[in-house]
Amino acid sequence: MLKQIIIALCFALMVSAPAFALRYGNNTISVGDSKGSVRMICGEPVSKETLGYIDRVESDKNNGTTSEKRVRVMKIEEWTIKTTNYNSTYYYSLMFEGNKLTEINSLGEKKY
């Protein structure tokens, strides 16, 4: 009984955890890829949403003092893509900060 509970918990963690790479056809997209390379592999997304903007701040430590310098403002965007394998369609959420892919999440499956 304990073994079944542990297996179920491990499976739940694997399903809900964000992925670091996604197989798409014969290619793979990974966290850190640019929007251009993701678009070349996956094509146009099903939907695109701007979630907001973020300031990237870099701290410099010189002679015991800390100074902050604004680097840039980046758009946070969520793309929804779909892929079809073995009569099932899978949807994924791709999060971008600026031009960089930061997160891949599964949104579920639609069976035919």
Side-chain angles (χ1 to χ4, degrees):
M1 178 70 177
L2 181 61
K3 185 177 179 181
Q4 292 172 340
I5 292 172
I6 291 172
I7 290 172
L9 286 174
C10 289
F11 180 73
L13 286 174
M14 288 186 329
V15 170
S16 63
F20 297 104
L22 170 66
R23 184 111 171 120
Y24 198 92
N26 293 328
N27 299 304
T28 303
I29 58 172
S30 304
V31 169
D33 286 351
S34 69
K35 285 183 186 177
S37 65
V38 171
R39 188 178 282 120
M40 284 175 44
I41 292 170
C42 302
E44 282 299 314
V46 174
S47 71
K48 273 192 229 185
E49 256 186 79
T50 300
L51 302 178
Y53 295 86
I54 187 170
D55 283 332
R56 280 286 176 210
V57 177
E58 186 176 278
S59 298
D60 291 329
K61 292 184 180 180
N62 294 329
N63 300 329
T65 62
T66 302
S67 64
E68 291 185 348
K69 165 178 109 173
R70 185 172 136 179
V71 176
R72 61 183 164 173
V73 176
M74 295 186 296
K75 184 175 11 176
I76 300 172
E77 228 176 1
E78 179 181 23
W79 289 9
T80 302
I81 62 166
K82 72 176 184 175
T83 180
T84 304
N85 293 326
Y86 307 109
N87 296 327
S88 294
T89 301
Y90 300 90
Y91 291 89
Y92 294 92
S93 165
L94 307 179
M95 300 294 289
F96 290 92
E97 285 184 17
N99 192 38
K100 183 178 174 184
L101 179 60
T102 57
E103 196 174 306
I104 302 170
N105 292 303
S106 174
L107 297 177
E109 169 186 6
K110 178 184 175 187
K111 292 189 178 186
Y112 293 106

